[in-house]
Amino acid sequence: MYGTDTVKIMTGHPYEVTIGSGILSHIGELLPQRSPCIAALVSDDIVDHLYGNEVTAALQDYGYTVYHFVFPHGEENKNMEQLSSLLSFLAESHLSRSDLIVALGGGVTGDLAGLAAAIYLRGIEYVQIPTTFLAAIDSSVGGKTAVDLPEGKNLVGAFWQPMAVICDTATFATLPENVFIDGTAEAIKYGVLADPQMFELLSGADFREHLGQIIRRSVAIKGDFVHDDERDTGSRQLLNLGHTIGHAIEQCSSYTVAHGHAVSIGMVIIAKAAAATGICDSAVPQMIETALANNHLPTRCDYSLARLVDVIQTDKKRRGDIISLVVPERIGHCRLHKINVAEMASFIEPGLK
Ligand SMILES: NC(=O)c1ccc[n+]([C@@H]2O[C@H](COP(=O)([O-])OP(=O)(O)OC[C@H]3O[C@@H](n4cnc5c(N)ncnc54)[C@H](O)[C@@H]3O)[C@@H](O)[C@H]2O)c1
Ligand SMILES: [Zn+2]
């Protein structure tokens, strides 16, 4: 017997996130009841090598016919070429509207396979099986799918919710440490947004024995924001804590600084800036910095104020001259703070000190 926990995500098409350790080999029975069909299993080469056979066997045991699509790992492959190859693969495999795409991997796989599911035959069902901490608590839930263009990240995408998310925490055992802590930055973000207790747990020495609980809470927090604002025009924007500056850092580094690492620095900068304007107490940035540093995440960068502001001004989430920044008021509560682009430099300057 194996134990699982579930969180229900209340979007237009509600679905469940199932969390457990060692549950990959039970994928067939954990999927929502449906008649066996073709399952197009999408993975990058690393994840396919590690877990592809186990998931294939588990699906075949339940009568699914499994076809594999494997692409080279890395953000640089979350692009139009791979999307096009995947769509052709689905057509060549004769997937119909009643068949299924199974995304097994990190956020790159989930975003690519999810977008293919959104547009192939005007939309077919897909399942997310996240294998990175970040994908488990962030990208697999919420229905945002995308690929990158040479002009920028995530510029082509769709909102398309999965029919289920199944997260096996045992798969994290093979994650490189740097990839694991990328997810930790996002988990700390959820703590700052909505859960002081989880924040405290994540600030401590070893939270990994509580991974299942942390994933459940993080997914529930994300689910609440997504439920309130599925299309990201209002409260879902709070999930961008640390992200406006984080995206600028990623871009300045030509994407050599990983997403979670950049968000980590972004959260510290914005919290310090918020404290300098009296939005929060100065203890707030200190607590955030300590939690991140305890998890070996970076809290500072060498890019100049001018360079960061320059990049932020091209942020796709900007509306006219106004930028909505997410600022912490205390650990467990954040709000949007709208400022004019012209004020951006003076607002974040104290954050870089
Ligand atoms: N859709 C959303 O809402 C959303 C939210 C956040 C991030 N994202 C996207 O997610 C992507 C980042 O996700 P990511 O960090 O998971 O990246 P990723 O998918 O590239 O995975 C990181 C690396 O870990 C490897 N890997 C994955 N699982 C493994 C395992 N269990 N053991 C060993 N190696 C493993 C992968 O092969 C890859 O090399 C970005 O493209 C980002 O834009 C999307
Ligand atoms: Zn993020």
Side-chain angles (χ1 to χ4, degrees):
M1 205 35 216
Y2 55 92
T4 57
D5 235 339
T6 54
V7 180
K8 194 144 192 171
I9 307 295
M10 299 307 292
T11 44
H13 295 270
Y15 54 96
E16 277 185 355
V17 179
T18 304
I19 304 150
S21 177
I23 59 175
L24 270 194
S25 54
H26 300 279
I27 286 296
E29 65 207 75
L30 289 170
L31 285 178
Q33 284 299 313
R34 62 188 346 271
S35 358
C37 61
I38 299 176
L41 180 61
V42 181
S43 282
D44 71 25
D45 52 344
I46 294 179
V47 175
D48 177 66
H49 181 70
L50 288 166
Y51 304 109
N53 287 343
E54 190 176 351
V55 172
T56 302
L59 288 168
Q60 284 171 341
D61 278 353
Y62 261 68
Y64 288 90
T65 303
V66 182
Y67 297 128
H68 257 87
F69 179 84
V70 180
F71 67 99
H73 66 277
E75 180 73 30
E76 64 275 23
N77 295 302
K78 199 178 98 173
N79 59 25
M80 292 297 283
E81 289 72 32
Q82 289 302 335
L83 177 66
S84 174
S85 308
L86 174 52
L87 292 169
S88 293
F89 169 84
L90 299 174
E92 284 158 14
S93 309
H94 303 291
L95 257 81
S96 73
R97 280 228 176 104
S98 54
D99 293 316
L100 185 66
I101 293 179
V102 178
L104 171 70
V108 164
T109 301
D111 278 11
L112 171 70
L115 180 56
I119 58 179
Y120 178 70
L121 302 180
R122 300 194 183 85
I124 69 170
E125 288 187 309
Y126 76 115
V127 175
Q128 292 270 19
I129 308 181
T131 61
T132 65
F133 188 23
L134 183 136
I137 61 173
D138 195 355
S139 58
S140 65
V141 174
K144 278 191 184 175
T145 71
V147 296
D148 305 333
L149 292 181
E151 290 76 12
K153 265 191 74 172
N154 296 327
L155 291 185
V156 181
F159 287 98
W160 192 246
Q161 303 292 343
M163 71 180 289
V165 180
I166 296 169
C167 171
D168 185 345
T169 56
T171 60
F172 302 162
T174 49
L175 280 179
E177 190 56 21
N178 246 3
V179 178
F180 181 85
I181 64 171
D182 233 28
T184 308
E186 300 279 1
I188 290 173
K189 178 193 81 175
Y190 290 121
V192 179
L193 280 175
D195 192 334
Q197 263 180 316
M198 183 169 80
F199 178 84
E200 209 180 303
L201 183 61
L202 289 161
S203 311
D206 203 5
F207 64 84
R208 295 188 194 200
E209 51 199 82
H210 306 287
L211 259 188
Q213 182 193 337
I214 285 165
I215 293 169
R216 175 162 44 76
R217 264 307 282 154
S218 298
V219 164
I221 293 168
K222 178 156 187 185
D224 283 344
F225 282 111
V226 171
H227 168 242
D228 293 341
D229 177 24
E230 198 169 333
R231 296 237 154 199
D232 198 6
T233 54
S235 59
R236 186 169 179 168
Q237 290 173 38
L238 288 169
L239 294 168
N240 288 327
L241 173 65
H243 279 60
T244 302
I245 297 167
H247 285 150
I249 293 168
E250 281 183 271
Q251 220 172 309
C252 287
S253 77
S254 306
Y255 296 94
T256 54
V257 175
H259 178 73
H261 287 60
V263 168
S264 172
I265 302 167
M267 280 194 283
V268 174
I269 293 175
I270 203 71
K272 284 184 180 169
T277 12
I279 294 170
C280 65
D281 194 88
S282 63
V284 172
Q286 280 164 17
M287 287 167 78
I288 295 175
E289 190 164 4
T290 305
L292 295 163
N294 283 352
N295 283 287
H296 311 291
L297 281 157
T299 55
R300 275 150 219 270
C301 71
D302 294 332
Y303 302 112
S304 69
L305 177 65
R307 191 133 177 239
L308 290 173
V309 170
D310 210 39
V311 179
I312 290 167
Q313 287 177 344
T314 62
D315 196 289
K316 68 174 187 273
K317 297 210 169 68
R318 170 179 161 187
R319 302 242 192 280
D321 280 343
I322 302 295
I323 292 186
S324 286
L325 294 170
V326 186
V327 290
E329 289 190 312
R330 56 179 188 275
I331 301 297
H333 188 80
C334 296
R335 69 166 166 85
L336 290 179
H337 181 70
K338 291 192 195 310
I339 63 168
N340 196 291
V341 277
E343 301 166 279
M344 191 67 199
S346 59
F347 184 77
I348 66 168
E349 190 179 13
L352 289 169
K353 293 205 171 111

